[in-house]
């Protein structure tokens, strides 16, 4: 394959964005909907070509080798395209993309190993322990990818019409993909070691820069190669979802796709948990050292506790007057640490310390917004502790710096509270949706990192440019800037997105219902 995986993935997701844009612009998506397997039909028109880099020229350029299944000479000459139904052709394309993207991924992994890891100059500069942290078990990951790719290629060669690939995905996920958890769990150490080496070893920095300039790398950075395994295991789950959306319902292929998706979901969750674990532990230790308790001490560090949000708010004191008749300040600064199961309320004291004067379990928090109360009470909300550190009910009137900050605190403090567009406990037939057209890296714990072509339900939005969304493919929720996406305006496209989402996760839903039934019993 002519493309490195980073290029392949970028082109594929941008094509997905452009296809969805064209579908969204149509009055009736059922009529002449752009076929994802016919390049001439999804070529950008003059009205959309300025919205995103063109992708179609890549597909039409045979030199790029970014081919569709139906473009293969063997398929063209076989006459099979005149026999297969359009839905089956779409399914063939979805399965073929999984195979070709794995080939591109393996090529990029091979370059990471042969061009960087095995470079003699780099070997002399790096201590064995440094090399181990930097490259982790990438050789195991590459061996797993090679074995996986060989099985996929063998299946493709059995028949020009691909029978299935999800059974192969399932077998490899169950038996071999644990190597991804090991690699991804090392990511925090890896990033830290890389930054430290760039800072402390000029020779390392020089060699990496020279290797990156090699035409083989096509202008891609060393770090973009290091992150490949995490990107691939996440993308693989999405590719299986894409197949699942296209297979016939209640068929054997649907069963294998659901099984493969479930196993991939388990691996991806374990990867995410591995990444978070170390950084969370370090963060909790750091917070514990900063807290001084004015009330009865609460143990902060726990293996099941992590930080959701922290920051300063203004607490309203009320219009009190001192004996000298000087009015006291209406608001006073307080500092909140919100964990997944606990709220700690503090005041900042000298020495970068925080004095804790109240706390409550997160499940015993309630919030209420104050509306139309004038400028002095703008962005003010009431926080109620149903049972605080003194075992009594307490209320705080708190002011945030902006509307988005107020809403972010309210949703974090009381996550089951109804949002602007949808209740978490209900599933609406339609609600606002947005697709990501610019990747975003979360800056705060309550934010959501976005990848190109992610589709999200909009649960809430603010006037100052923030959206609270739920990503359809994994139900992860968080805040992100509204400038990162484009709203999907066509209600039929939104309904189709939701229908596909429910289908992908129906096995999860049935499992949850079974668990709920057992719990009630």
């Amino acid at each position: 394959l002519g493309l490195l995986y980073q290029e392949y993935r970028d082109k594929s997701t941008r094509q997905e964005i452009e296809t969805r844009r064209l579908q969204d612009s149509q009055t009736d998506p059922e009529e002449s909907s752009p076929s994802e397997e016919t390049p001439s039909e999804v070529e950008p028109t003059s009205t959309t070509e300025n919205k995103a880099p063109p992708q179609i020229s890549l597909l039409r350029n045979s030199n790029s080798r970014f081919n569709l299944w139906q473009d293969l000479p063997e398929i063209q000459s076989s006459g099979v395209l005149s026999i297969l139904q359009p839905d089956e052709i779409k399914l063939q394309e979805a399965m073929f993309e999984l195979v070709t993207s794995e080939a591109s991924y393996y090529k990029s992994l091979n370059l990471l190993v042969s061009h960087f890891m095995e470079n003699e100059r780099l070997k002399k500069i790096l201590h064995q322990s440094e090399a181990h942290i930097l490259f982790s078990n990438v050789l195991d990951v590459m061996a797993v990818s090679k074995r996986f790719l060989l099985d996929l290629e063998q299946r493709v060669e059995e028949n020009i019409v691909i029978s299935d690939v999800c059974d192969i995905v399932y077998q490899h996920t169950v038996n071999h993909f644990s190597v991804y958890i090991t690699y991804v769990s090392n990511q925090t150490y890896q990033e830290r070691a890389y930054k430290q080496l760039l800072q402390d070893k000029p020779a390392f920095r020089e060699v990496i820069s020279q290797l990156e300039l090699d035409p083989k790398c096509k202008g891609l950075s060393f770090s973009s190669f290091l992150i490949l395994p995490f990107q691939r295991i996440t993308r693989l789950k999405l590719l299986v979802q894409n197949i699942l959306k296209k297979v016939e319902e209640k068929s054997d292929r649907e069963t294998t796709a659901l099984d493969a998706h479930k196993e991939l979901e388990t691996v991806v969750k374990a990867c995410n948990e591995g990444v978070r674990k170390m950084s969370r532990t370090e963060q909790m230790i750091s917070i514990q050292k900063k807290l001084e308790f004015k009330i009865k001490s609460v143990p902060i560090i726990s293996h099941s506790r992590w930080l959701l949000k922290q920051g300063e708010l203004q607490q309203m004191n009320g219009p009190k007057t001192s004996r000298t008749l000087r009015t006291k300040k209406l608001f006073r600064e307080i500092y909140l640490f919100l964990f997944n199961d606990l709220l700690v309320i503090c005041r900042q004291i000298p020495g970068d310390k925080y004095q804790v004067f109240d706390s409550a379990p997160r499940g015993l928090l309630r919030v209420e917004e104050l509306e139309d109360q004038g400028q002095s009470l703008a962005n003010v909300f009431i926080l109620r502790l149903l049972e605080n550190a003194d075992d009594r009910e307490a209320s705080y009137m708190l002011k945030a710096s902006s509307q988005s900050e107020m809403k972010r605190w309210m949703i974090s403090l009381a996550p089951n509270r109804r949002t602007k567009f949808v209740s978490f406990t209900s599933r609406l037939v339609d609600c606002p949706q947005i697709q990501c057209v610019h990747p975003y890296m979360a800056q705060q714990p309550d934010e959501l990192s976005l990848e190109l072509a992610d589709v999200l339900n909009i649960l809430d939005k603010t006037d100052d440019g923030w959206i609270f969304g739920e990503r359809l493919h994994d139900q992860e929720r968080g805040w992100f800037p509204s400038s990162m996406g484009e709203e999907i305006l066509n209600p039929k496209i939104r309904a189709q997105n939701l229908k596909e989402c429910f289908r992908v996760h129906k096995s999860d839903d049935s499992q949850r219902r079974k668990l709920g039934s057992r719990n009630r019993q």
Side-chain angles (χ1 to χ4, degrees), residues 396-452:
Y396 294 89
M397 185 178 287
L398 303 175
K399 181 179 175 68
S401 58
S402 64
Q403 186 197 43
S404 60
E405 190 62 12
M406 178 190 71
K407 286 199 169 188
R408 287 170 68 162
W409 269 112
M410 290 178 72
I411 286 177
S412 295
L413 289 161
N416 294 322
R417 178 178 172 271
R418 185 178 177 86
T419 55
K420 184 174 182 179
F421 295 110
V422 63
S423 166
F424 289 124
T425 56
S426 69
R427 280 184 163 177
L428 299 188
V429 175
D430 189 21
C431 94
Q433 288 178 5
I434 192 169
Q435 77 160 331
C436 171
V437 296
H438 303 290
Y440 179 70
M441 182 63 68
Q443 307 297 311
Q444 299 291 334
D446 64 338
E447 293 179 10
L448 186 64
S449 292
L450 301 178
E451 297 280 356
L452 285 173

Side-chain angles (χ1 to χ4, degrees), residues 280-288 300-301 305 339:
R280 281 176 173 174
T281 302
E282 290 185 343
Q283 188 177 46
M284 296 301 288
I285 292 171
S286 174
I287 292 171
Q288 174 84 56
I300 296 297
I301 298 175
R305 179 174 293 153
F339 305 100

Side-chain angles (χ1 to χ4, degrees), residues 115-133:
H115 186 61
F116 290 98
M117 182 178 173
E118 294 178 350
N119 180 269
E120 291 301 326
R121 288 178 63 196
L122 206 56
K123 281 182 178 181
K124 291 176 182 177
I125 294 169
L126 292 176
H127 187 273
Q128 189 174 355
S129 62
E130 293 171 330
H132 178 69
I133 294 172

Side-chain angles (χ1 to χ4, degrees), residues 13-31:
T13 50
R14 289 197 179 278
Q15 182 198 355
E16 191 178 337
I17 289 170
E18 193 61 37
T19 300
R20 199 175 285 122
R21 277 175 175 159
L22 291 174
Q23 288 176 327
D24 194 33
S25 67
Q26 291 175 357
T27 313
D28 187 350
E30 296 299 320
E31 297 178 8

Side-chain angles (χ1 to χ4, degrees), residues 129 271 312 385 412 479:
S129 62
C271 287
E312 188 177 88
L385 283 55
S412 295
W479 291 90

Side-chain angles (χ1 to χ4, degrees), residues 22 114 346:
L22 291 174
S114 62
C346 323

Side-chain angles (χ1 to χ4, degrees), residues 240-247 254 257-258 261 503-504:
V240 169
Q241 282 189 8
N242 195 33
I243 293 170
L244 182 52
K245 294 169 187 175
K246 294 173 172 57
V247 294
E254 183 188 52
L258 283 168
H261 181 265
R503 184 180 178 190
V504 165

